[in-house]
């Protein structure tokens, strides 16, 4: 199951730079993960400073 970003995202961009498949992009109010590209590696969750990313 793909990872998801909650609304505690502070738009820092840490996760987008670490995603090995480019599944994370900037949305209007927070970053978003494209579930069809996500490979469930967890790298994004490990670098998120607010813990806003978890497995969906």
């Amino acid at each position: 199951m793909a990872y998801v970003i909650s609304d505690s995202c502070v738009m820092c961009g840490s996760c987008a730079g670490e995603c090995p498949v480019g599944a994370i992009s900037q949305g209007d109010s927070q970053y978003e993960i494209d579930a069809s590209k996500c490979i469930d590696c967890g790298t994004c969750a490990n670098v998120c400073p607010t813990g806003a990313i978890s497995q969906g």
Side-chain angles (χ1 to χ4, degrees):
M1 184 171 276
Y3 278 74
V4 293
I5 301 176
S6 73
D7 49 350
S8 58
C9 173
V10 295
M11 299 284 290
C12 69
S14 302
C15 56
E18 293 296 319
C19 182
V21 295
I24 304 174
S25 60
Q26 186 174 351
D28 292 335
S29 60
Q30 67 189 43
Y31 275 77
E32 300 170 347
I33 299 175
D34 181 341
S36 67
K37 290 182 182 177
C38 180
I39 59 171
D40 301 323
C41 67
T43 302
C44 56
N46 293 334
V47 299
C48 180
T50 62
I53 304 174
S54 61
Q55 263 189 318

